[in-house]
Amino acid sequence: MAEALYQFTDQERALYEKTPLTPLPLLVMQVIDGEYHALLASDEYCKMVGSDRESMLEYLNHHSFGRVYPADVVRLATFSASAVKYPQCHLTYRLSIKGEYHTLFAHSKRIKTEDGTILLLVTYFDLGKTRASRPRSKVNPPTWTC
């Protein structure tokens, strides 16, 4: 029997989504049968990526890497597959925000809810725009570690 998506109470949802309570960009993810599901996106995450919550969750739940810098797609996919196996992981990668690539730092933390469901809390920091004109030898490649 397949595991069901975790259902948040209204209080939990407000805690994770609303700016005064969650001042950092945050996604809450769940993995079921090897598939990632974005359950919640905080106000600050939506603000950071320049998208409304519904559109962003739709994008994330269709496993699209369309906004990810092409050279970072494999790294992001590897990180995603590994994050559920470790208590904490982090990654830097490039994401297109309003038509320009930004380097993001993502930190995932695995938690277990009272009912035993495993969730990933992923916080983000926008490290700034990536300048495409910089010589390749001076660009720090994105990284990930667990």
Side-chain angles (χ1 to χ4, degrees), residues 12-33:
E12 288 173 321
R13 183 171 292 282
L15 177 69
Y16 288 120
E17 288 182 345
K18 301 303 173 193
T19 297
L21 301 171
T22 305
L24 295 173
L26 172 77
L27 287 178
V28 179
M29 311 287 282
Q30 181 180 2
V31 179
I32 299 174
D33 297 329

Side-chain angles (χ1 to χ4, degrees), residues 2-8 27-40 61 63 80 84 111 113 115-122:
E3 186 178 351
L5 291 177
Y6 184 76
Q7 298 300 306
F8 293 91
L27 287 178
V28 179
M29 311 287 282
Q30 181 180 2
V31 179
I32 299 174
D33 297 329
E35 292 283 322
Y36 274 79
H37 302 274
L39 304 178
L40 296 174
N61 284 319
H63 312 288
S80 297
V84 74
I111 64 165
T113 65
D115 71 0
T117 302
I118 301 295
L119 299 176
L120 295 174
L121 304 181
V122 187

